[in-house]
């Protein structure tokens, strides 16, 4: 039985802690803030409750597996997990709307044909077939196995298949997600539908590899799910599972150094000078935080994947409304940008800027647990923004103005949002930075193949033996499911050793 110190109480860190405790280890978690969950937070005010991080879950099997492997109670016994249907309502730039059913290829094809015209559904359906091929080729090495030592095989090979080109009498392979849209989908509304999945993770579809097709495929294949009471309930359930397995939590404690002895990790030094000895250290923190704690040792081993840089952040507007949620309202609506090129240039170009009419996600949960009564509604608006504010104006002023612009943009989905408005609160990149320690409030994307490894994440092992990394900034990357997977990988590497090759 080993002593294991975990830095941070994010979802990946807690997933690892619970699995390691069940394996018989003594696990202690040290979290610099006063609560668990990392970016999975909640704001409560006047009887309203809002998720300030992720609002929906894909691949719930990851957390089902966690609960099965760490105790007799299944996930559904501790949270109320419901499938969202329709999965998404899309409001396109030209005013066209389409409701896409959850996890139904035939239903999606029919809905797109009805909304966008004959053949639109068939093109999207054919795309999903190719996206599944990319998924099948990359699922194990990207999600279920530790990062291969020869990770460059994943970096060099584009798993998205070639497509026959009728006029050229040959096949051609898309190199980017934008090329998939332009060559195979063609309709600008289908392109917007495709690219919205990349934008939600802060990825520029013009440079994101074609393998990013797995992002919409995951939603299509495994569905979109909501936890009643908000996604914070999932974090609570994972935390309570850790406590039940005798994981110790220390909140309000800052780790200043990872201790080394005989060339391997030996514990932690805390801000008050206290030393916590351990045979293994698991770090669930942003790279820059870990770099400050590991002195004189390169955390990422030589030959590691290229460092991620320039990732955007998010702005979230929490809106309390008078009047109940109308019948027929979609849980999630994506309001697409009016000008795709302008949005992409402001997000990913050389000059900083905020698009007043960006791609906007509107969440309207049908959940009495998040409102003070049936005559109120809680709505969350989320958009991707650059990770750093305009340095010529105070950040609070910039984002306050942008929040007003997002409420205006949301009128395309909720026409009476302003006349029903009671109050609003804004969560900006600085709030994400405070919760996670990530510079500028950057949000990590899921790992993707191809693109010369730019969207792979560092291995869970490090250049310091005995030190492992977990969570969105390490393999297999960002997102709630990926965080849970990283916890499983780290636990496997510690329990079974370097020969661990993932779940079978």
């Amino acid at each position: 039985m080993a002593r294991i110190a975990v830095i941070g109480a994010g979802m990946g860190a807690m997933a690892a802690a619970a699995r390691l405790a069940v394996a018989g280890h003594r696990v202690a978690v040290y979290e610099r803030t006063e609560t668990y969950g990392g970016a999975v937070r909640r704001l409560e005010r006047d009887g309203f409750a809002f998720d300030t991080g992720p609002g929906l879950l894909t691949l719930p099997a990851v957390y089902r597996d966690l609960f099965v492997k760490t105790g007799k109670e299944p996930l559904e016994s501790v949270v109320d997990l419901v499938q969202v249907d329709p999965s998404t309502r899309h409001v396109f730039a030209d005013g066209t709307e389409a409701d896409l059913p959850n996890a139904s290829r035939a239903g999606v094809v029919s809905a797109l044909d009805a909304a966008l015209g004959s053949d639109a559904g068939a093109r999207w359906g054919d795309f999903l077939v190719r996206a599944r091929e990319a998924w099948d080729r990359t699922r194990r090495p990207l999600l279920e196995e530790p990062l291969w030592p020869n990770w460059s095989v994943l970096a060099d090979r584009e798993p998205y298949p070639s497509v026959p080109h009728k006029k050229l009498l040959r096949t051609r392979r898309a190199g980017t997600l934008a090329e998939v849209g332009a060559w195979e989908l063609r309709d600008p509304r289908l392109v917007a539908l495709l690219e919205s999945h990349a934008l939600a993770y802060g990825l520029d579809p013009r440079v994101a590899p074609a393998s990013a097709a797995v992002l919409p495929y995951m939603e299509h294949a495994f569905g979109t799910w909501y936890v009643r009471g908000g996604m914070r309930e999932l974090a609570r359930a994972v935390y309570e599972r850790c406590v039940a397995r005798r994981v110790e939590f220390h909140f309000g404690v800052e780790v200043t150094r990872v201790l080394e002895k005989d060339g391997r990790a030996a514990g932690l030094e805390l801000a008050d000078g206290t030393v916590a000895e351990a045979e293994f250290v698991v770090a669930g923190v942003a790279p820059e935080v870990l770099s400050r704690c590991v002195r004189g040792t390169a955390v990422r081993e030589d030959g590691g994947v290229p460092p991620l840089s320039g990732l955007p952040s998010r702005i979230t507007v929490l809106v309390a409304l008078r009047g109940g949620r109308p019948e027929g309202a979609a849980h999630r609506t994506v309001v697409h940008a009016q000008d795709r090129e302008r949005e992409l240039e402001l997000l990913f170009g050389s000059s900083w800027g905020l698009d007043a009419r960006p791609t906007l996600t509107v969440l309207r949960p049908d959940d009495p647990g998040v409102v003070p009564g049936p005559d109120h509604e809680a709505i969350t608006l989320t958009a991707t923004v650059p990770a750093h504010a305009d340095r010529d104006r105070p950040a609070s002023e910039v984002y306050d103005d942008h929040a007003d612009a997002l409420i205006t943009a949301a009128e395309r989905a909720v026409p009476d949002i302003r006349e029903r408005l009671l109050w609003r609160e804004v969560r900006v990149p600085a709030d994400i930075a405070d919760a996670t320690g990530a510079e500028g409030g950057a949000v990590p994307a899921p790992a993707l193949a191809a693109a010369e490894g730019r969207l792979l994440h560092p291995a869970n092992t490090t250049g310091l033996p005995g030190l492992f990394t977990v969570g969105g900034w390490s393999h297999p990357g960002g997102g709630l499911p990926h965080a849970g997977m990283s916890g499983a990988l780290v636990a496997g590497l510690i329990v079974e050793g370097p020969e661990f090759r993932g779940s079978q």
Side-chain angles (χ1 to χ4, degrees):
M1 180 175 68
R3 293 171 297 179
I4 300 176
V6 180
I7 310 174
M11 297 297 283
M14 290 196 296
R19 290 175 181 272
L20 289 165
V22 167
H25 298 294
R26 293 168 50 194
V27 185
V29 177
Y30 299 86
E31 167 60 44
R32 67 178 178 83
T33 72
E34 298 297 335
T35 189
Y36 54 83
V40 184
R41 299 293 180 94
R42 176 163 56 202
L43 179 136
E44 297 181 1
R45 173 180 165 185
D46 301 338
F48 291 88
F50 301 88
D51 287 317
T52 60
L56 293 170
L57 177 67
T58 56
L59 282 174
V62 172
Y63 288 92
R64 290 189 178 116
D65 182 72
L66 171 65
F67 277 78
V68 167
K69 297 291 177 57
T70 60
K72 296 180 180 180
E73 289 180 308
L75 175 63
E76 279 82 356
S77 71
V78 292
V79 297
D80 188 359
L81 190 65
V82 294
Q83 199 167 19
V84 175
D85 203 14
S87 172
T88 316
R89 174 172 294 163
H90 289 270
V91 180
F92 297 103
D94 66 354
T96 306
E97 296 187 10
D99 284 2
L100 303 187
N102 205 337
S104 169
R105 181 179 181 276
V108 168
V109 167
S110 296
L112 289 174
D113 278 342
L116 309 185
S118 178
D119 194 44
R123 289 199 299 274
W124 184 259
D126 290 344
F127 156 74
L128 287 176
V129 171
R130 292 186 288 272
R132 176 178 179 173
E133 188 170 336
W135 167 261
D136 289 341
R137 290 174 175 175
T138 60
R139 175 179 58 86
R140 278 199 63 81
L142 276 179
L143 302 180
E144 298 176 2
E145 300 177 347
L147 189 66
W148 294 344
N150 61 334
W151 59 265
S152 59
V153 174
L154 289 171
D156 297 336
R157 182 182 301 165
E158 174 54 70
Y160 188 80
S162 301
V163 178
H165 190 282
K166 295 178 180 179
K167 294 182 180 179
L168 299 180
L169 300 179
R170 60 176 175 83
T171 61
R172 61 180 176 184
R173 186 182 296 275
T176 67
L177 198 65
E179 288 177 344
V180 171
W183 296 354
E184 302 169 29
L185 301 177
R186 298 188 296 279
D187 186 315
R189 296 165 297 185
L190 290 179
V191 172
L193 169 57
L194 172 66
E195 293 184 349
S196 66
H197 291 272
L199 286 170
Y201 287 104
L203 299 174
D204 183 350
R206 300 170 301 181
V207 297
S211 65
V214 300
L215 300 177
Y217 175 76
M218 282 194 297
E219 285 200 10
H220 158 75
F222 306 108
T224 304
W225 301 77
Y226 172 71
V227 177
R228 291 204 182 278
M231 296 307 297
R232 177 69 176 176
E233 287 298 293
L234 178 62
R236 174 198 55 77
V238 176
Y239 167 72
E240 290 180 354
R241 175 55 54 92
C242 287
V243 172
R245 299 299 171 263
R246 300 187 178 180
V247 175
E248 297 179 8
F249 282 84
H250 304 270
F251 294 107
V253 174
E254 185 171 0
V255 174
T256 56
R257 187 157 66 102
V258 173
L259 300 176
E260 301 178 35
K261 184 179 180 181
D262 299 328
R264 61 174 290 117
L268 305 176
E269 182 179 294
L270 310 181
D272 64 0
T274 302
V275 168
E277 295 182 348
E279 283 76 40
F280 297 95
V281 173
V282 176
V285 294
E288 51 270 25
V289 177
L290 184 56
S291 294
R292 291 195 295 268
C293 296
V294 183
R295 302 170 187 174
T297 300
V299 175
R300 178 181 282 132
E301 297 179 75
D302 290 340
V305 300
L308 290 162
S309 62
L311 291 174
S313 186
R314 297 188 183 110
I315 181 172
T316 302
V317 186
L318 314 173
V319 184
L321 300 180
R322 62 174 62 88
R325 182 179 185 271
E327 185 176 353
H331 187 118
R332 175 173 61 176
T333 299
V334 175
V335 179
H336 292 273
Q338 293 291 292
D339 186 333
R340 170 187 178 274
E341 291 299 332
R342 172 176 169 78
E343 177 180 39
L344 296 180
E345 182 57 32
L346 288 174
L347 273 175
F348 306 108
S350 57
S351 60
W352 190 94
L354 295 172
D355 189 349
R357 307 181 81 176
T359 299
L360 175 69
T361 298
V362 182
L363 296 182
R364 308 179 73 177
D366 183 10
D367 184 353
V370 300
V371 290
D375 55 346
H376 293 88
E377 185 177 11
I379 293 181
T380 303
L381 313 177
T382 306
T384 300
V385 297
H388 296 279
D390 183 351
R391 289 166 175 78
D392 295 331
R393 297 174 61 198
S396 58
E397 179 183 313
V398 171
Y399 288 119
D400 195 60
D401 289 348
H402 195 51
D404 282 335
L406 296 184
I407 290 175
T408 299
E411 290 177 342
R412 295 172 60 201
V414 190
D416 58 357
I417 187 171
R418 285 199 179 275
E419 60 192 67
R420 296 172 56 200
L421 182 64
L422 290 172
W423 49 264
R424 65 170 174 81
E425 291 208 18
V426 186
R427 290 294 178 268
V428 301
D431 296 307
I432 296 175
D434 288 343
T436 67
E439 184 178 357
V443 177
L448 295 171
E452 299 179 336
R454 291 194 307 273
L455 288 170
L456 295 175
H457 291 255
N460 306 104
T461 53
T462 71
L464 178 63
L467 172 64
F468 297 82
T469 61
V470 73
W473 293 104
S474 59
H475 181 71
L480 274 175
H482 298 71
M485 294 172 196
S486 74
L489 292 175
V490 166
L493 286 165
I494 291 176
V495 172
E496 298 186 26
E499 67 277 6
F500 175 68
R501 291 297 177 263
S503 59
Q504 300 299 320

